[in-house]
Amino acid sequence: MKLPVYLDNSATTPMDPRVLDVMVPYFLQNFGNSSSRSHVYGWTAEEAVGLARDQVADLIGADSAEIIFTSGATESINLAIKGIFDQYSFKGNHIITSVSEHRAVLDCCEWIENNGGFVTYLPVNAEGLIDLAQLESAITDKTILISIMYANNETGTIQPVRRISEVGKKHGILFFSDATQAAGKIPVQVDEDGIDVLSLSAHKLYGPKGVGALYVRRKNPKVAVSAQIHGGGHEKNMRSGTLNIPGIVGFGAACELCNHVLETESTELSILRDNLETELLKLSGSHINGSLKNRLPHITNISFDAVNGEQLLLELCKEVAVSRGSACSSVTTKPSHVLTAMGLDDAAALCSFRISLGRFTTLSEIESSFKIMTEIIEKHRNASKLAATLK
Ligand SMILES: *Cc1c(COP(=O)(O)O)cnc(C)c1O
């Protein structure tokens, strides 16, 4: 068994080796630029991008013409929020989001506020869910966009996406959902879910890093987003720049694989996750954060009372790779904004851990992880008790 056991798949997933196999030829013999129209090198690349576009579209029930390739979910989120803010400025300048969004969404919203827009940040309840009545009452005649993530990257909590889209439709407001954690893990279907714009990323679903996509609805309604990167007019003028062909090819292959195994993989992951949770909950003063009913199959977020979170992570890190909060904020010692929004105090948020499983997590890795974690947490607690009596 390779140590530390990797249980941080929400930060990034390892690539599926089958994805790499499909990518390799596009670095070497098929190195063409998909915009080259005058020779076979270009045509080959263009054909490969076309196939990948179909594969990504298939995963979310979209049409391939609705897929815009980007450098990842962060860029897709920027394109969605800033692009809609610009494009729909004739209608209004108000956006509704929630306090527990990914940093990329929150930072784009801050940019909106600094550029003449207004943002309402909906609170979440103890399970991390927004309230639909609050959503509806936040709508004004200037509201142009509802931006609510599909599922949270720290707790796995799944928002009531279909009901959010109904509220949006009723008021003629566009709905953008950051589905970076949900896509490839649970069924995400843009039509059934009523989503107008959606972001996803290859490296969260066993594809390469540095490539992602934005889904932009083409009918009922036709949505437009203003480009944030200007140049040669690639990607229907919404995102210029030579396409990352090997990355896109890998992204497509990764989506197709996820599409094939989604149902069985999600069941397997939830069994492993539940197994781990049951064992860790045997420790006194431990509890789960987030919704137990509406959540992704591969994530758990657990608090352990009476531990020093930072020190515990250090003690754990040779054996298991887990995190506190998201990868982008775990370098700071600040408590997770997602957990404090759910009502945890700073101290409780700081001793909460996100444990996320993936396609390559095995039962024996889970068994050894909970044994090691239980042991280390007990040792850690005893040591701090001893330290307290010696003071
Ligand atoms: C990882 C993640 C992102 C950022 O994706 P990148 O492709 O790394 O830019 C955005 N939102 C959520 C929910 C994520 O989990």
Side-chain angles (χ1 to χ4, degrees):
M1 190 179 304
K2 189 177 171 217
L3 289 180
V5 174
Y6 187 68
L7 295 178
D8 203 13
N9 286 270
S10 294
T12 193
T13 52
M15 277 229 308
D16 191 306
R18 292 168 290 183
V19 169
L20 181 63
D21 287 344
V22 180
M23 288 171 69
V24 168
Y26 291 89
F27 287 106
L28 300 170
Q29 58 272 37
N30 304 333
F31 57 83
N33 182 330
S34 56
S35 300
S36 302
R37 295 284 146 80
S38 52
H39 50 69
V40 70
Y41 295 95
W43 304 332
T44 305
E46 195 189 10
E47 200 178 299
V49 170
L51 171 64
R53 214 183 286 284
D54 292 342
Q55 291 166 318
V56 175
D58 269 355
L59 179 67
I60 56 170
D63 189 274
S64 55
E66 299 174 311
I67 301 298
I68 304 299
F69 286 118
T70 66
S71 65
T74 299
E75 188 194 327
S76 298
I77 292 166
N78 274 263
L79 177 56
I81 296 179
K82 296 177 185 171
I84 285 173
F85 180 68
D86 179 64
Q87 192 69 233
Y88 293 83
S89 59
F90 69 95
K91 278 185 80 177
N93 60 354
H94 177 233
I95 290 177
I96 302 172
T97 187
S98 92
V99 289
S100 64
E101 295 292 306
H102 189 272
R103 241 350 331 140
V105 169
L106 295 175
D107 285 356
C108 286
C109 287
E110 195 183 318
W111 185 91
I112 297 293
E113 291 176 301
N114 292 331
N115 285 273
F118 295 90
V119 180
T120 300
Y121 298 89
L122 298 173
V124 294
N125 66 15
E127 296 187 4
L129 296 165
I130 65 155
D131 181 89
L132 292 156
Q134 280 178 342
L135 168 66
E136 190 148 18
S137 61
I139 292 172
T140 73
D141 57 357
K142 291 266 181 274
T143 309
I144 51 172
L145 180 67
I146 297 169
S147 170
I148 300 288
M149 71 202 315
Y150 208 111
N152 189 272
N153 49 305
E154 294 187 31
T155 59
T157 295
I158 301 170
Q159 296 292 348
V161 168
R162 292 186 185 192
R163 298 182 61 199
I164 294 168
S165 86
E166 282 161 19
V167 174
K169 284 220 165 45
K170 189 168 138 199
H171 295 270
I173 298 166
L174 296 178
F175 176 29
F176 161 58
S177 191
D178 174 16
T180 309
Q181 284 297 334
K185 313 291 167 50
I186 55 170
V188 171
Q189 292 289 313
V190 286
D191 284 339
E192 281 92 328
D193 294 339
I195 294 168
D196 298 310
V197 186
L198 174 142
S199 53
L200 66 167
S201 183
H203 78 99
K204 301 288 176 79
L205 42 78
Y206 314 100
K209 290 167 187 60
V211 56
L214 187 68
Y215 157 80
V216 183
R217 179 172 288 283
R218 294 248 294 177
K219 51 176 193 275
N220 309 315
K222 179 170 170 52
V223 179
V225 301
S226 305
Q228 301 302 303
I229 296 176
H230 303 92
H234 308 74
E235 297 299 277
K236 303 187 182 64
N237 257 324
M238 290 188 240
R239 201 278 189 183
S240 286
T242 301
L243 273 63
N244 168 5
I245 311 283
I248 288 169
V249 164
F251 185 17
C255 286
E256 185 171 339
L257 284 170
C258 282
N259 218 354
H260 273 305
V261 298
L262 195 121
E263 226 169 284
T264 46
E265 190 164 276
S266 130
T267 310
E268 283 163 14
L269 281 171
S270 63
I271 292 170
L272 286 180
R273 190 265 321 270
D274 293 351
N275 197 325
L276 178 70
E277 264 180 0
T278 309
E279 293 298 327
L280 291 177
L281 286 174
K282 288 181 185 161
L283 280 160
S284 63
S286 58
H287 60 266
I288 308 219
N289 301 307
S291 172
L292 291 181
K293 235 179 40 221
N294 303 304
R295 61 169 169 166
L296 295 174
H298 65 294
I299 302 181
T300 182
N301 191 301
I302 308 190
S303 300
F304 302 105
D305 295 349
V307 301
N308 176 331
E310 186 140 304
Q311 209 183 323
L312 183 58
L313 265 189
L314 272 175
E315 290 162 27
L316 286 172
C317 74
K318 280 201 191 107
E319 315 283 349
V320 286
V322 298
S323 69
R324 263 191 321 182
S326 71
C328 343
S329 53
S330 58
V331 280
T332 71
T333 49
K334 276 206 228 134
S336 145
H337 72 282
V338 174
L339 297 179
T340 53
M342 287 160 52
L344 271 74
D345 61 27
D346 287 3
L350 285 170
C351 43
S352 302
F353 299 86
R354 173 181 74 178
I355 307 175
S356 46
L357 288 57
R359 178 172 295 164
F360 305 106
T361 309
T362 63
L363 179 61
S364 56
E365 283 182 327
I366 290 296
E367 283 171 345
S368 90
S369 296
F370 67 64
K371 279 187 201 128
I372 289 165
M373 288 183 75
T374 305
E375 205 173 287
I376 291 179
I377 291 168
E378 276 170 348
K379 219 162 76 189
H380 173 93
R381 281 176 171 166
N382 288 336
S384 30
K385 250 187 252 155
L386 183 64
T389 56
L390 291 176
K391 258 190 205 147

